[in-house]
Amino acid sequence: CYGMPVGAEVFETCVQIGRFEYIIEEYRKYATYQRIYRMEEKIAICHNPRARDSNIRQALIDRFGAVGTKKNPGYFYGFKKDIWAAMAVAVTYHDKYLTDRE
């Protein structure tokens, strides 16, 4: 966390990542994984390593369309902070590792 204090949630996330990796290694012939680091995500989506969450969110909206409203929901209608982060990881993975295959 770049020298900043962190809470128990960060360490719990590390434990969970380790568990997922262990399970995937056990079933390697059925699944693989690739870590996506925050810096990769910023560069892949915003082309700037200093991008913030708001910049990433806006870049995703520019790429896929508006959030929308309840009456006229867009692609991202109902997304919350964690869902935006997951979408950014998925888009980064797609662009870096799957685009060549299509």
Side-chain angles (χ1 to χ4, degrees), residues 11-69:
F11 296 106
E12 184 61 30
T13 299
C14 295
V15 169
Q16 293 302 325
I17 290 169
R19 288 179 177 167
F20 287 132
E21 288 181 349
Y22 176 79
I23 291 168
I24 291 170
E25 288 295 323
E26 289 292 308
Y27 297 96
R28 186 178 309 156
K29 65 181 180 180
Y30 302 111
T32 61
Y33 67 93
Q34 179 65 46
R35 288 184 184 171
I36 301 293
Y37 294 97
R38 179 79 169 150
M39 192 61 65
E40 286 180 88
E41 182 183 300
K42 290 178 178 186
I43 293 170
I45 295 174
C46 296
H47 311 292
N48 185 341
R50 296 187 324 183
R52 303 173 79 146
D53 286 345
S54 60
N55 304 115
I56 293 170
R57 180 180 185 271
Q58 187 59 51
L60 291 172
I61 290 170
D62 292 345
R63 181 170 172 177
F64 294 103
V67 175
T69 62

